[in-house]
Amino acid sequence: MEKEENTEETVENDSKIKEPTEIKARKLELLHFFLKDKYAVALFLILTLALAIRIYYFVITNNQPVWWDEADYLTLAKNFVFNTPEMYNPARQIGIVFVLTALYKVGLGVASFKFLQILLSLASIFLVYLVGKDMFNKKIALIAAFFFSVFWVDLFVVTRVFPDSVGFFGTTLFIYLFWKGFIKKDSRLAAWLVGPAFIIAFMSREANLLLAPVVFIYLLITEKFKLFKNKDAWISVCLGLIASIPYFLFYQLRYGNAILQIALRQSQTVDKFAKIAAGKFTILHGHFVFFQQAPDYLRGGLIILFFIGAYIFIDLLLGADLVFKQKEKSLNKYLFLFIWIIAFYAFFSYYQVYDERYLVPVYPAIFLVAANGLYFVYSEIRKRIDWRVALVVLFAILFIVANSQLTRADNLIKIKAGGQWQVQDAGLWLKEHTAPGDFVVTQSRTQILYYAEREVIEFYFEDEAAFIRELEAKKPKYLMLSAFESHTTPDWAYMFPIKYNITPIKSFYETRSGAGNIVVMLYPLYVQQ
């Protein structure tokens, strides 16, 4: 009996001795898995860095007030789920409203959408890497992915309820699928999904519409008229049309016009070109401002790296006839990049619009060319001097780019984080002191609709007399005047309370302590006191 007990004890001790050895073996196996591909480790570190940066800004901006654009998307989503008032601008893309609606439907809200944007941003970085890996090599792909991981425009938009992060994901997904399905031609499924991916990209950010002529021109040059006999292309188009049904159905049911949003944007574009034709804008001015702003979004030397990397287009121009005859297919990738960049450059130069966010669809191409430029510098130094010097230069330039981009992002995000808190507080006060169905007079339309959830009357009247008639008809409870909307508020509106001797009931200053000038004022109108 005693011998059996000793045997059991020995087995138990043996198992205790072996267990750490097995765990150690598993750890070594896991470590080997990561270390066998140094590029995979580098990509993992880049994605980890990107996640850490975005989580940091997610935490410090989680409760920041929403801006006009953000509130416009949010109020329509709340209207779908909670039937609260909305005055949505139908010229905006509807894509993120569908996402917000789904989140509200399951009990989530703004914070969950921002976290989703972080995940989509990481997915975009990964897709940029995959495209760069196939188009150039893994080293250039990693550099491009790193550029995007610290890119200040993306870091800023993921802290806001903007369509840009979803749009960027749509762009990179579309480009990746097009590359796999129509350029490399190694996946028919990828080719079929190009159409639906384009609809996702377009519904998120209308600038992605320019991707259509980019791929069409590329295929027309490389495939000629065989393009129109390509079954995969037709399947892709048909699937894209099916995916677009919710988009057109929404505008048809809501506004009675399935192409209303496209028509509104198209009219704005026509108006811009009409002004250019009339001499109100000059084409030269458009090109100048486009490059003048480039050092801002391509800060940290990215613009220099871009022009260095653009040497690849020299081969393209010298071999243009070979590309057209498809005798040198190795140049096709450069052709695609060239068309991609030129299309967006040409449109926005002529359109006279220079918001960095609007250029989101072309940034992957710019990053790939800039990454190629940095890799060229690294390769030349390694070849002519020493690999250690080349490595130092490589990491020094990456540090300069990251430092410049992150500094710009940090300053912008933190400065804007508390912006317009007065409008937020005013909206919450109005919600507390009014009832559903009440009207409020304000030019901060979208924010008050979002925070107060009350009907809004704006100052868009011919004159004061027309405004008074509207007051008598709808009897709004309060009048809100804001310094933030002074550019759209008529002068007589600011004088209205003084003229009719209306005393403010609530004031919001530049600071929460009450110091500084008054920024927002609330006046009682049809309120029983």
Side-chain angles (χ1 to χ4, degrees):
M1 190 73 174
E2 183 179 349
K3 187 175 182 181
E4 289 180 3
E5 289 179 358
N6 291 336
T7 303
E8 290 177 1
E9 185 177 349
T10 303
V11 172
E12 185 178 351
N13 290 335
D14 288 343
S15 65
K16 287 182 179 178
I17 295 172
K18 290 179 180 179
E19 186 176 9
T21 306
E22 292 175 3
I23 293 175
K24 184 178 180 180
R26 292 176 184 179
K27 288 180 179 179
L28 290 173
E29 185 180 350
L30 184 63
L31 183 62
H32 176 71
F33 173 77
F34 279 102
L35 294 182
K36 68 180 180 180
D37 188 346
K38 59 184 179 181
Y39 298 108
V41 175
L43 179 61
F44 175 77
L45 293 175
I46 290 172
L47 291 173
T48 302
L49 172 67
L51 177 62
I53 296 170
R54 284 153 179 78
I55 289 294
Y56 168 71
Y57 288 118
F58 171 81
V59 172
I60 67 174
T61 62
N62 191 34
N63 295 316
Q64 68 183 359
V66 300
W67 287 351
W68 178 285
D69 293 8
E70 298 176 275
D72 211 6
Y73 297 115
L74 288 163
T75 51
L76 184 57
K78 289 176 71 175
N79 172 263
F80 286 158
V81 180
F82 308 115
N83 199 31
T84 51
E86 61 87 15
M87 296 173 67
Y88 187 70
N89 178 5
R92 297 189 188 280
Q93 291 298 77
I94 199 66
I96 70 166
V97 176
F98 291 156
V99 178
L100 288 166
T101 300
L103 293 173
Y104 276 130
K105 200 72 176 176
V106 296
L108 301 175
V110 175
S112 58
F113 177 77
K114 290 182 179 179
F115 187 75
L116 175 62
Q117 288 189 131
I118 292 175
L119 299 180
L120 292 177
S121 177
L122 296 178
S124 297
I125 296 173
F126 182 65
L127 288 168
V128 167
Y129 170 79
L130 292 180
V131 173
K133 176 175 67 71
D134 286 350
M135 190 176 288
F136 294 99
N137 57 51
K138 290 182 179 181
K139 293 178 181 178
I140 291 176
L142 285 172
I143 295 172
F146 178 80
F147 287 159
F148 183 40
S149 71
V150 297
F151 187 38
W152 74 264
V153 175
D154 186 68
L155 292 176
F156 175 70
V157 298
V158 296
T159 67
R160 294 283 172 181
V161 184
F162 285 159
D164 304 284
S165 292
V166 181
F168 206 158
F169 171 72
T171 300
T172 53
L173 178 63
F174 171 82
I175 294 298
Y176 173 72
L177 293 172
F178 181 77
W179 176 265
K180 299 289 285 186
F182 288 99
I183 298 181
K184 289 192 69 178
K185 298 180 181 179
D186 58 4
S187 173
R188 293 192 68 192
L189 179 61
W192 297 349
L193 294 177
V194 165
F198 173 75
I199 298 302
I200 292 173
F202 167 68
M203 286 177 61
S204 303
R205 179 53 95 178
E206 59 268 11
N208 281 315
L209 188 63
L210 290 172
L211 293 172
V214 169
V215 299
F216 179 74
I217 293 172
Y218 171 83
L219 290 174
L220 199 59
I221 293 174
T222 57
E223 300 287 334
K224 306 298 186 296
F225 292 103
K226 290 188 295 182
L227 165 65
F228 301 101
K229 299 178 182 179
N230 189 324
K231 293 181 180 179
D232 290 336
W234 285 111
I235 292 174
S236 180
V237 170
C238 290
L239 291 176
L241 291 173
I242 293 172
S244 69
I245 290 175
Y247 169 84
F248 292 111
L249 192 61
F250 166 78
Y251 283 99
Q252 181 62 43
L253 295 177
R254 191 96 177 173
Y255 303 105
N257 185 348
I259 61 170
L260 176 63
Q261 194 269 339
I262 297 175
L264 290 171
R265 289 302 192 192
Q266 192 258 349
S267 67
Q268 293 174 1
T269 304
V270 171
D271 179 63
K272 288 283 186 180
F273 286 118
K275 288 180 179 179
I276 293 174
K280 295 182 179 180
F281 294 117
T282 63
I283 294 174
L284 181 61
H285 172 75
H287 295 307
F288 176 73
V289 177
F290 189 93
F291 280 111
Q292 188 182 44
Q293 288 202 350
D296 184 30
Y297 50 84
L298 297 181
R299 57 180 45 241
L302 274 178
I303 189 169
I304 297 174
L305 295 175
F306 172 80
F307 282 115
I308 294 174
Y311 75 85
I312 57 176
F313 298 132
I314 296 176
D315 292 342
L316 177 65
L317 294 176
L318 292 176
D321 60 319
L322 300 177
V323 173
F324 186 77
K325 297 174 183 177
Q326 283 298 282
K327 291 184 177 180
E328 190 57 62
K329 293 187 178 182
S330 63
L331 294 174
N332 283 356
K333 57 187 178 183
Y334 302 146
L335 172 67
F336 180 63
L337 278 174
F338 183 78
I339 298 172
W340 186 359
I341 294 170
I342 288 297
F344 282 87
Y345 162 74
F347 178 81
F348 284 106
S349 291
Y350 285 77
Y351 191 57
Q352 311 282 325
V353 175
Y354 308 102
D355 192 315
E356 294 87 354
R357 294 180 298 130
Y358 297 163
L359 298 175
V360 158
V362 77
Y363 288 134
I366 293 175
F367 289 156
L368 287 170
V369 174
N372 181 61
L374 180 52
Y375 183 69
F376 173 80
V377 171
Y378 165 79
S379 300
E380 288 297 307
I381 294 176
R382 179 171 182 166
K383 181 171 61 176
R384 300 176 186 278
I385 303 177
D386 184 75
W387 70 268
R388 287 169 289 234
V389 176
L391 207 59
V392 170
V393 171
L394 172 66
F395 281 104
I397 293 175
L398 290 177
F399 175 80
I400 292 170
V401 171
N403 182 65
S404 181
Q405 293 285 336
L406 292 175
T407 300
R408 176 78 165 99
D410 191 71
N411 291 336
L412 183 63
I413 291 170
K414 290 179 178 177
I415 289 173
K416 301 295 185 181
Q420 301 191 20
W421 63 266
Q422 300 90 343
V423 178
Q424 178 191 44
D425 287 8
L428 295 174
W429 188 94
L430 289 168
K431 183 177 182 178
E432 184 179 347
H433 292 81
T434 56
D438 288 344
F439 282 85
V440 175
V441 180
T442 178
Q443 204 68 354
S444 301
R445 181 189 79 209
T446 63
Q447 296 103 313
I448 298 306
L449 283 167
Y450 174 69
Y451 286 116
E453 299 179 352
R454 301 294 181 258
E455 301 287 352
V456 165
I457 299 174
E458 296 178 274
F459 290 109
Y460 295 129
F461 297 93
E462 295 180 3
D463 50 33
E464 184 181 325
F467 174 64
I468 291 175
R469 288 194 295 271
E470 184 74 2
L471 295 184
E472 293 173 347
K474 294 184 176 177
K475 296 184 171 18
K477 299 296 183 182
Y478 293 95
L479 164 67
M480 172 181 163
L481 293 176
S482 170
F484 296 115
E485 312 299 341
S486 59
H487 59 293
T488 59
T489 304
D491 293 337
W492 58 260
Y494 288 106
M495 299 303 298
F496 186 84
I498 300 173
K499 183 177 180 180
Y500 293 94
N501 196 28
I502 306 174
T503 304
I505 195 171
K506 189 75 175 176
S507 299
F508 300 89
Y509 293 79
E510 289 179 339
T511 63
R512 291 190 180 276
S513 63
N517 297 319
I518 297 176
V519 178
V520 174
M521 299 184 75
L522 298 176
Y523 297 87
L525 293 178
Y526 292 87
V527 181
Q528 294 181 353
Q529 299 187 30

